[in-house]
Amino acid sequence: MYSQGLIGADGRTDEDEAFLAAFQERIDAEMKIEPNDPMPEGYRKTLVRQISQHAHSEVIGMQPEGNWITRAPTLRRKAALLAKVQDEGGHGLYLYSAAETLGVSREEMTDQLLSGAAKYSSIFNYPTLTWGDIGAIGWLVDGAAIMNQIPLCRCSFGPYARAMIRVCKEESFHQRQGYEIMMTLARGSDEQKAMAQDALDRYWWPSLMMFGPSEGSSVHSSQSMAWKIKRFTNDELRDKFINATVPQAEYLGLTVPDPDLKWNEERQSYDHGEIDWDEFWRVVKGDGPCNRERLRNRTRVHEEGAWVREAALAHAEKRRERAEAAKIAAE
Amino acid sequence: MSDDLFRYVLRLADDHLILGQRLGEWCGKAPSLEEDLALANIGLDCLGQARALFTYAGKVEGKGRDEDDLAFLRPEREYCNALLVEQPNRDFAWAIARQFYFSAFMLPFWRAMGKSTDDDLRAIAAKAEKEVAYHLRHSAEWVIRLGDGTEESRRRMIAALEELFIYTGELFEMDDVALAMVSEGVAVDASELRDEWRRTVDGVLSEAHLTAPEAAYDQTGGREGRHTEHLGHLLSELQYMQRAYPGLEW
């Protein structure tokens, strides 16, 4: 629990030019920044924002898939889905721990999530309407997450990079499971094929939006790149994802819902149609199909669980008092 | 013999599937992330046990039914789980009380089943025993925390323990199927586990500064497919996909 010691610690740094230059030198030398190392306040804040939003995404992301646990079509799929959602909860825990090393508490982060001050991935504001969506989420959403997260395994901040190594292993397993669901549907009955196509139709664009806005409008991009928090631009990662995913869709015999999608021989990359950025910003700002539902659920769970958390605290306190009393009595 | 064995194994499978389903409903709804993980973990163990038992039941029956046929295509009157495991989640204290009563029974049950003359059941028991020891520890710790926590947690814990108590007697019930299996050396005489169960329950409750409930009567019927009103709804959700799209691969 080395993180606990840092909560409330003085995060101020002396940010004169020499300090910033020395810090950048460490970054450029690919040295990992660790929790007790001095760091610019902007670096700390950027990481707190990014890691906590990542953690929140894992937690909120339990809802759309959790929606199908009780209805999964076979026992094998049910077990795999339950295990997957459990993994996501675990990823949330690692990430909250990684963020805590930067001096912010899980309680503060939870409050920020519930008040709407902190964001989570826009993708989880889309509903899971059929079993096909569970396949599409594994294949596309986890696929996009992996594209984003693999470079983060080399992120300059040590705790985040190490969390990502573990997360990525599990995510790629989930992605294969998702693709396997899609493959089973695509090779199944007409109804199943239609289910798979419909899921791809609804999840394709939201998955592309997971990489965030294009460079021109991405505020955090250049500084994050210089600090090696980010390694690639949003558009670079999005292209990588499209290039990897389109052949998979073709293999499934499914159609990507983008009439402008075309292989560009010169770029050795797919050109794609325009993303609906109005929709993206609307969802990020709270007006997507499930934003209110997701936060309402999370808030209700938090409130309904309060008495349990209070009981655990009260009991721990009683134990401590009894142990102390016993110790005094024995002296 | 094989019909009795089929029914006996099926009961065990149903207990674990239904409880696993209830635990799956908690996903994303637990009081903390740690508990989300713990309940999912226990749910997964239950599902794993259910799958092994269904597969074995299908083999014993010899009609080519697999785990999914048995889980998804039987109506509520053919389900033979104990009434305890189908009880709804209501609040965290209910989930804990249900798990605690059940795990306190299953631990000595699987231990005794380790001496069964049936190879498959012995193998399932060996794996399940380790898992249930963990489930019992987890639920007992929460009975103590909630029972000896705040006034509210104590009130809720008592309510859950008392309301669920009438369903515990069924766990020890022995009928012709179970007795026939005992005489073959296959099954456990559940009625002989009652004292140990009671000692476990009393021990944990006294640590929680609670007194163990007494049942005015035992509500039973699950083994004959006479359930509470909760099961039909649970199965509607569980079986929806297989009922809507029968006979497909998923």
Side-chain angles (χ1 to χ4, degrees):
Chain A
M1 293 301 284
Y2 65 99
S3 65
Q4 297 295 319
L6 286 166
I7 290 174
D10 189 349
R12 278 175 307 169
T13 44
D14 206 3
E15 298 188 20
D16 58 20
E17 252 170 67
F19 171 79
L20 292 174
F23 182 76
Q24 192 62 46
E25 211 168 289
R26 288 197 60 179
I27 297 278
D28 293 342
E30 295 288 332
M31 288 168 80
K32 288 276 179 266
I33 307 300
E34 295 299 337
N36 289 326
D37 293 338
M39 60 185 88
E41 194 50 30
Y43 180 84
R44 183 189 298 276
K45 280 190 175 149
T46 300
L47 278 165
V48 167
R49 198 193 72 240
Q50 185 171 336
I51 301 172
S52 69
Q53 291 185 10
H54 194 162
H56 298 328
S57 300
E58 299 283 358
V59 172
I60 296 289
M62 294 169 82
Q63 289 185 45
E65 290 178 296
N67 184 36
W68 276 89
I69 288 172
T70 56
R71 292 178 292 167
T74 69
L75 296 184
R76 185 170 82 93
R77 293 293 185 209
K78 186 191 289 289
L81 183 60
L82 185 52
K84 180 186 174 182
V85 181
Q86 186 195 25
D87 281 348
E88 282 159 10
H91 297 170
L93 275 181
Y94 311 151
L95 288 160
Y96 283 128
S97 303
E100 283 190 326
T101 68
L102 291 160
V104 60
S105 72
R106 192 159 133 197
E107 290 68 28
E108 285 172 67
M109 290 185 271
T110 302
D111 287 345
Q112 287 165 359
L113 170 66
L114 298 182
S115 71
K119 304 283 180 232
Y120 54 86
S121 180
S122 57
I123 192 76
F124 301 120
N125 293 310
Y126 291 85
T128 48
L129 304 180
T130 72
W131 174 252
D133 294 5
I134 300 305
I137 287 181
W139 171 37
L140 301 173
V141 175
D142 293 333
I146 291 165
M147 287 291 170
N148 261 324
Q149 288 168 13
I150 282 182
L152 289 173
C153 297
R154 293 189 295 128
C155 158
S156 61
F157 187 58
Y160 194 24
R162 290 189 289 272
M164 281 303 100
I165 290 169
R166 191 157 165 199
V167 168
C168 280
K169 279 184 195 150
E170 292 177 347
E171 293 291 4
S172 50
F173 180 65
H174 299 160
Q175 201 236 356
R176 279 203 299 280
Q177 278 181 340
Y179 192 67
E180 198 207 305
I181 290 176
M182 292 302 277
M183 204 146 59
T184 311
L185 296 178
R187 289 177 182 167
S189 70
D190 289 347
E191 274 171 315
Q192 286 175 305
K193 281 177 206 154
M195 197 182 272
Q197 182 63 55
D198 171 57
L200 172 58
D201 290 347
R202 283 180 291 108
Y203 272 93
W204 176 255
W205 293 105
S207 301
L208 297 190
M209 293 178 196
M210 286 173 70
F211 296 94
S214 285
E215 271 63 71
S217 42
S218 178
V219 196
H220 308 293
S221 202
S222 59
Q223 184 61 73
S224 286
M225 298 273 271
W227 277 333
K228 297 194 178 176
I229 294 171
K230 277 181 81 156
R231 296 278 179 162
F232 297 96
T233 68
N234 294 347
D235 285 334
E236 281 167 351
L237 291 169
R238 189 165 18 242
D239 279 348
K240 261 180 201 261
F241 172 74
I242 293 171
N243 294 343
T245 309
V246 170
Q248 293 170 350
E250 283 169 355
Y251 181 76
L252 293 174
L254 300 177
T255 311
V256 172
D258 178 0
D260 297 325
L261 188 77
K262 213 174 123 231
W263 178 251
N264 183 325
E265 192 58 40
E266 201 181 315
R267 276 203 322 130
Q268 286 295 300
S269 185
Y270 280 95
D271 292 331
H272 61 83
E274 190 59 31
I275 289 170
D276 184 346
W277 293 115
D278 290 341
E279 175 179 322
F280 172 78
W281 289 115
R282 199 170 66 237
V283 175
V284 167
K285 286 175 181 158
D287 279 325
C290 298
N291 296 60
R292 289 176 180 81
E293 189 68 16
R294 301 289 185 242
L295 267 192
R296 186 187 302 123
N297 286 340
R298 199 63 229 157
T299 305
R300 192 180 59 226
V301 162
H302 188 71
E303 286 168 358
E304 286 178 359
W307 69 272
V308 177
R309 296 189 300 275
E310 284 157 17
L313 280 176
H315 179 72
E317 180 61 17
K318 283 182 191 178
R319 283 193 102 103
R320 197 187 57 76
E321 282 170 7
R322 281 177 205 143
E324 232 164 60
K327 201 175 141 203
I328 289 164
E331 273 163 9
Chain B
M1 152 82 185
S2 87
D3 188 47
D4 284 339
L5 180 59
F6 170 68
R7 287 174 64 189
Y8 188 75
V9 176
L10 197 60
R11 290 171 180 183
L12 278 169
D14 286 351
D15 284 349
H16 289 87
L17 175 60
I18 299 301
L19 185 56
Q21 180 80 353
R22 283 294 185 221
L23 288 162
E25 291 171 12
W26 270 105
C27 191
K29 302 189 179 81
S32 69
L33 263 182
E34 287 82 350
E35 273 316 294
D36 249 319
L37 300 192
L39 295 177
N41 209 316
I42 298 170
L44 274 169
D45 288 344
C46 289
L47 261 178
Q49 290 161 17
R51 293 181 65 195
L53 289 159
F54 277 130
T55 300
Y56 181 46
K59 194 172 98 180
V60 169
E61 189 193 32
K63 292 182 185 166
R65 287 205 279 183
D66 66 11
E67 57 174 17
D68 291 325
D69 295 324
L70 289 168
F72 293 100
L73 300 175
R74 280 180 304 137
E76 46 271 60
R77 289 285 284 121
E78 287 175 32
Y79 254 82
C80 43
N81 58 281
L83 301 178
L84 177 66
V85 296
E86 73 196 42
Q87 297 310 306
N89 289 330
R90 298 200 201 280
D91 70 8
F92 188 67
W94 271 69
I96 289 300
R98 185 183 61 203
Q99 194 66 47
F100 173 59
Y101 284 151
F102 186 68
S103 301
F105 171 75
M106 288 313 299
L107 185 60
F109 180 91
W110 287 125
R111 203 177 280 142
M113 191 60 92
K115 298 186 193 77
S116 170
T117 54
D118 184 294
D119 294 343
D120 289 78
L121 283 176
R122 242 184 8 256
I124 292 169
K127 184 164 184 283
E129 188 190 326
K130 294 186 195 101
E131 295 171 346
V132 175
Y134 159 74
H135 305 168
L136 179 59
R137 200 178 81 197
H138 174 266
S139 55
E141 281 172 3
W142 272 111
V143 168
I144 294 164
R145 267 186 217 115
L146 297 180
D148 185 32
T150 62
E151 215 169 291
E152 182 181 11
S153 69
R154 180 180 168 80
R155 177 178 60 73
R156 287 181 188 250
M157 195 67 246
I158 291 171
L161 287 164
E162 283 183 351
E163 283 195 62
L164 287 169
F165 202 80
I166 57 167
Y167 301 111
T168 57
E170 189 176 34
L171 300 173
F172 309 100
E173 201 178 48
M174 293 297 289
D175 64 359
D176 291 345
V177 171
L179 287 169
M181 287 294 96
V182 169
S183 70
E184 300 274 349
V186 168
V188 173
D189 187 343
S191 64
E192 288 178 1
L193 303 177
R194 195 162 203 152
D195 290 345
E196 181 176 352
W197 180 84
R198 190 75 218 199
R199 277 197 302 278
T200 306
V201 169
D202 287 349
V204 170
L205 293 192
S206 90
E207 215 181 313
H209 303 286
L210 300 174
T211 40
E214 293 294 336
Y217 76 109
D218 289 330
Q219 179 66 51
T220 67
R223 302 305 185 198
E224 288 79 45
R226 282 181 288 108
H227 291 275
T228 62
E229 289 178 346
H230 304 297
L231 187 68
H233 296 282
L234 184 150
L235 292 181
S236 305
E237 213 173 321
L238 175 80
Q239 299 180 337
Y240 148 68
M241 288 293 287
Q242 289 284 350
R243 299 290 188 183
Y245 308 96
L248 302 176
E249 295 287 313
W250 293 95

